[in-house]
Amino acid sequence: MQEKQLWTPDFIIITGVNLLISIVFYFLIVTLGDYVTQRYEVSISMAGLAVGIFIIGALTSRLIIGQLVDVIGQKKTLLIGLVAFTLTNGLYFFSDSIYSLLAARFLHGLAIGVASTACGTIVAHLIPSHRKAEGIGYYSLSTTLASASGPFLGLWISQNFDFKWSFAFCLFISLLALAASTFLKAGSAKHATEQPFHFTLGDLVERQALPVSTVMFLLGLCFASVLTFLNSYSIELDLVTAAGFFFVVYSAIILFSRPIAGKILDKKGSNVIVYPCCILLAMGMATMASTQSAWTLLTAAALIGLGYGSLQSALQAVAIKVVKPHRMGLATATFYICLDAGLGFGPYLLGIIITETGYRNLYWLMAGLALLCMLLFYMVHGRHVAYFRERDRLEKQ
């Protein structure tokens, strides 16, 4: 039997689609706050809601679509999500109040939740089982590239053009993603499920993937502290120029490290990656907390890239490895629900902490949280890793 290939046309297309929708996500998340405060003259907290409600919308749709994606059909779900993603992007042009903008953001978030869950499910089925972590690592690089290019393009366009051009750019990228998805051959068939569909809490998440996804929620809080407050922290430290290169360094490190980490995970198991990366993330947060110069801030970016960047793909690979193939869609949704919850609710929760402790102490707390995640991972999965490796070995026979 011929060995299943990783770099197929479908794998390249679905990775490209994920890159495009992620660019729109990061483009808007770093620019919309300033637009809202200037256009609608609202408070910073209301602007934060306008940014975060998008992620809450994505979380809401993932709760439902996770168990439907294999029933509806993976490609059909992706097309439905991308059509909705494109149409709701157009709503920004017609938003004439903060409330209509909040509605547009929530609906836009619902759409990306459907599209990105379908992307994750399709790619999970495309990747050969013996290269699962490596494949997820390559696929996740599309999000990494978006986390660097999206903010860069967003800041450049918003600083040089009227903000309507920002919405137009996002609409164009959405149309590109929709067009590319029509060339997919994979994901057209529906997959049979062993149980009938129920709208109960237990059926909206994959129980086996939930423990490791909870670790991702806590790690998402760590990253939210950087994604949301880096700009304000850099202004306080007078390191705005260095902050502009933070995610460039972060993304460059991930581009080189994540494929290597994926291969190691497939060969040696998750413990070899997760424990060292939690330590690296804690070191990065500690460096953030103690930084005094551009050099140390960019060193923090590199450490966080090595740590958090590899952890996200590693834990996603674990989440889909612990379930049966027909449950991969729900496992993918469960993983992103927890990640979205960390990134979406994190800014509000961490903002409360900042008012009491300040930025430096926040990052010291995040360093401690990263170390706590190492212990939690051991409790929920790390101590059982030998069982899953033996199970995979028996299934291959």
Side-chain angles (χ1 to χ4, degrees), residues 13-34:
I13 290 171
I14 200 66
T15 302
V17 169
N18 187 64
L19 169 66
L20 293 171
I21 62 178
S22 297
I23 284 176
V24 174
F25 168 76
Y26 282 104
F27 185 107
L28 292 174
I29 204 169
V30 300
T31 59
L32 198 70
D34 288 338

Side-chain angles (χ1 to χ4, degrees), residues 290-335:
S290 57
T291 190
Q292 298 285 353
S293 66
W295 173 252
T296 52
L297 186 64
L298 296 181
T299 300
L303 289 169
I304 292 170
L306 282 171
Y308 180 80
S310 297
L311 282 168
Q312 183 178 339
S313 61
L315 293 180
Q316 183 178 355
V318 171
I320 62 177
K321 272 190 170 185
V322 299
V323 302
K324 295 181 179 179
H326 73 277
R327 302 283 288 183
M328 284 182 178
L330 192 54
T332 300
T334 301
F335 178 84

Side-chain angles (χ1 to χ4, degrees), residues 5-12 15 128 131 134 138-139 141:
Q5 298 296 310
L6 173 61
W7 290 101
T8 62
D10 277 341
F11 180 80
I12 295 171
T15 302
R131 300 181 70 181
E134 181 188 359
Y138 284 123
Y139 172 76
L141 286 179

Side-chain angles (χ1 to χ4, degrees), residues 235-275:
I235 292 172
E236 181 180 284
L237 297 175
D238 195 23
L239 296 174
V240 176
T241 302
F245 290 95
F246 186 96
F247 286 106
V248 175
V249 173
Y250 166 86
S251 301
I253 291 295
I254 294 179
L255 283 173
F256 288 102
S257 65
R258 187 173 280 176
I260 298 172
K263 291 181 179 180
I264 294 173
L265 193 151
D266 281 328
K267 292 180 179 179
K268 302 293 185 180
S270 56
N271 288 354
V272 178
I273 295 297
V274 173
Y275 299 142

